[in-house]
Amino acid sequence: MNPFKTYLSILTLLILMMLMALPVKAQEIQTSEPLPYPESIISIVPQYLIMNGIRVDYDKKIRDQHWLQIAPQFYLSEKKPANDYHIPKFNNLLGTGLNLYHKYYPSANRVLSNVYISYGVAWQYFNIKYDEAIFNNHVERYSNIHKMGGDVNIGVLSLLSSHIALDLYAGLGFRYASIKSDANSPKKFDERFSDYGYTRNIINLGFR
């Protein structure tokens, strides 16, 4: 089965689940006092651990239903074995990144204000060192990868308590990576959409 179609099906299912949850949320709010929404939120995106990274998001309310989401990232890893399923072999990885999003909650009514739409830009930089086989020798090479793109997401923010929240989101995006390397045959690191040098459309699925 085509992986992109699989992720697209999951994305569609997740969005439908979000929409189906709205009447339930409305009934819950009618029978209980809604929690006040905070002015700012700090969250961790755990799925970035797959890419040997960590992402910490800071959401700040600008006005009314408009929020600014700032998402810095940092990547660090030592040698990866050649049989690693997700990422090609490398000796050292160092990277950083930043995503900036505008989040908009369509309804000012608290019954629906936990559903939002976000859009913005993404930038990442990676320095990756790896071995290149030249005749019978292995020579260490490097690749510097600059990756840029944009995302459009839809999500649901659920307040579990006055200090804890769960944010589920899904959406579409694109990435373009440029690579500078001293290798004769540079590794592109673009086998999967989660790879560091991936260029093409992507599907965003996550929680924080």
Side-chain angles (χ1 to χ4, degrees):
M1 186 175 181
N2 189 317
F4 187 81
K5 291 183 179 180
T6 301
Y7 288 116
L8 187 59
S9 300
I10 296 174
L11 171 62
T12 303
L13 179 61
L14 184 57
I15 292 176
L16 289 176
M17 292 174 62
M18 291 177 180
L19 295 176
M20 292 173 62
L22 292 181
V24 177
K25 184 69 175 179
Q27 292 178 3
E28 291 177 352
I29 294 176
Q30 289 176 357
T31 58
S32 61
E33 183 68 21
L35 292 170
Y37 273 79
E39 297 293 319
S40 61
I41 300 174
I42 298 176
S43 56
I44 297 176
V45 186
Q47 55 267 31
Y48 273 65
L49 294 173
I50 299 175
M51 298 176 61
N52 304 294
I54 183 171
R55 170 177 149 180
V56 179
D57 290 10
Y58 176 70
D59 294 24
K60 177 64 178 178
K61 184 177 180 180
I62 303 173
R63 59 180 175 83
D64 301 329
Q65 298 118 270
H66 298 270
W67 288 62
L68 175 65
Q69 180 182 348
I70 305 172
Q73 307 139 43
F74 182 72
Y75 304 84
L76 178 65
S77 180
E78 295 297 328
K79 190 170 184 176
K80 278 287 183 178
N83 61 354
D84 185 88
Y85 181 77
H86 295 287
I87 304 170
K89 179 181 177 181
F90 58 80
N91 298 333
N92 183 271
L93 164 71
L94 183 64
T96 187
L98 180 66
N99 293 16
L100 294 175
Y101 298 108
H102 171 234
K103 297 178 68 174
Y104 175 67
Y105 292 82
S107 176
N109 189 322
R110 286 186 177 178
V111 173
L112 297 178
S113 64
N114 60 332
V115 177
Y116 67 83
I117 300 171
S118 68
Y119 59 90
V121 295
W123 169 80
Q124 293 169 314
Y125 167 78
F126 303 100
N127 175 265
I128 306 175
K129 295 179 181 179
Y130 55 92
D131 289 335
E132 181 181 29
I134 300 179
F135 299 108
N136 294 326
N137 299 319
H138 286 81
V139 180
E140 187 173 75
R141 302 297 196 185
Y142 76 88
S143 286
N144 288 332
I145 301 174
H146 289 270
K147 185 162 66 171
M148 301 187 67
D151 298 313
V152 177
N153 299 317
I154 181 173
V156 175
L157 177 66
S158 298
L159 296 179
L160 305 181
S161 72
S162 58
H163 298 286
I164 301 176
L166 176 64
D167 187 350
L168 301 175
Y169 64 89
L172 299 174
F174 73 92
R175 295 292 185 271
Y176 174 78
S178 62
I179 301 176
K180 179 182 179 181
S181 176
D182 64 348
N184 294 330
S185 299
K187 285 186 177 181
K188 296 183 177 180
F189 298 93
D190 65 346
E191 295 181 357
R192 304 178 186 280
F193 74 88
S194 60
D195 284 346
Y196 307 111
Y198 186 83
T199 294
R200 282 182 294 277
N201 296 328
I202 64 170
I203 290 179
N204 296 317
L205 293 171
F207 66 93
R208 56 190 193 120

